[in-house]
Amino acid sequence: MKTYSTYIFDLDGTLLDTLGDLAASVNYALRQHGMPEHSLDDVRRFVGNGVRLLMERAVPDGAANPLFEEAFATFRRYYMDHALDTTRPYDGIPETLAELRRRGCHMAVVSNKMMAATRELCHHFFPDTVEVAIGEHEAEGIRKKPAPDTVLAALHELGVGKDEAVYVGDSDVDIETARNAGIPCISVLWGFRDRDFLLQHGARQFVSTPKELL
């Protein structure tokens, strides 16, 4: 595998196993508004396109539900208070990031997760390795993935070009994001999507464990 000098990482399902806290927050919001809850596997399928779409998929009738905005606000508040309850880095991730940093590589995270949560999680788990963390902030004109905006913003903040950069993610959204940004993509097999799904969506390069990135 080619080595790179800059690694742009997805967050959920790539660096962190956030599924338990996301599912708990979704179901808390649904319970508070008298809506049916979802299984962990349901929520696994719902994630990837930002928290608003996550809740649109979870709430009956989605955004057309008259209680949607209230349920979405409940989710956001609850998740910000419980984002660290069970979330943890995947095995081998901290050591791999530390080694990439030791080798002089630049690292950033781009996520469709809320900006505040993205930065809080990166600061908590990766304070010495991830230099730039960018979450969803479309209100400022930065489109969420799969648009290339967050990747390009991360490269700009790092002060590097695309030539030696690679995108690392676990989903079809990540594959499309890398393509739109004009950089290669490495798909990880420990996240929220399996190999067959990723192949069907254009994945070409895989890693089964974090250390394979080295």
Side-chain angles (χ1 to χ4, degrees):
M1 182 182 294
K2 179 182 176 181
T3 57
Y4 300 91
S5 62
T6 301
Y7 290 78
I8 309 295
F9 290 97
D10 171 55
L11 188 60
D12 297 52
T14 300
L15 298 182
L16 296 178
D17 183 356
T18 57
L19 188 60
D21 289 335
L22 286 169
S25 301
V26 166
N27 284 330
Y28 174 83
L30 296 174
R31 281 196 307 276
Q32 295 305 301
H33 297 280
M35 300 173 185
E37 298 181 35
H38 290 283
S39 70
L40 200 64
D41 280 341
D42 286 342
V43 177
R44 184 192 305 275
R45 290 192 297 272
F46 296 162
V47 299
N49 297 92
V51 291
R52 186 176 183 87
L53 271 175
L54 164 62
M55 286 302 291
E56 286 182 11
R57 292 162 178 162
V59 169
D61 298 323
N65 190 308
L67 294 177
F68 174 78
E69 293 298 341
E70 292 177 42
F72 182 43
T74 300
F75 165 84
R76 289 173 64 99
R77 288 193 300 269
Y78 188 89
Y79 185 69
M80 286 305 299
D81 289 336
H82 295 272
L84 292 171
D85 285 2
T86 64
T87 289
R88 296 289 183 274
Y90 288 101
D91 289 346
I93 285 293
E95 296 84 356
T96 297
L97 297 190
E99 177 59 20
L100 289 172
R101 188 69 173 151
R102 190 191 68 79
R103 296 180 183 186
C105 296
H106 293 290
M107 283 172 284
V109 162
V110 296
S111 176
N112 281 342
K113 184 187 290 293
M114 298 173 285
M115 176 70 90
T118 299
R119 289 182 169 169
E120 177 184 343
L121 289 168
C122 288
H123 178 73
H124 181 81
F125 288 110
F126 313 117
D128 301 320
T129 49
V130 171
E131 301 162 77
V132 171
I134 297 176
E136 188 279 317
H137 58 307
E138 289 193 305
E140 298 174 34
I142 303 296
R143 294 171 297 170
K144 68 182 180 181
K145 301 183 294 181
D149 300 28
T150 53
V151 173
L152 300 179
L155 293 172
H156 177 74
E157 286 193 40
L158 290 170
V160 300
K162 297 181 184 180
D163 292 349
E164 294 297 320
V166 65
Y167 188 101
V168 184
D170 73 306
S171 75
D172 52 319
V173 174
D174 296 317
I175 295 165
E176 189 176 353
T177 300
R179 184 184 302 122
N180 290 337
I183 61 176
C185 182
I186 298 173
S187 296
V188 308
L189 295 176
W190 56 79
F192 298 163
R193 303 289 186 266
D194 63 26
R195 187 187 192 100
D196 288 343
F197 178 92
L198 294 169
L199 282 169
Q200 291 168 14
H201 288 84
R204 295 290 180 268
Q205 191 166 204
F206 298 94
V207 289
S208 298
T209 65
K211 69 179 181 181
E212 291 178 32
L213 291 170
L214 303 175

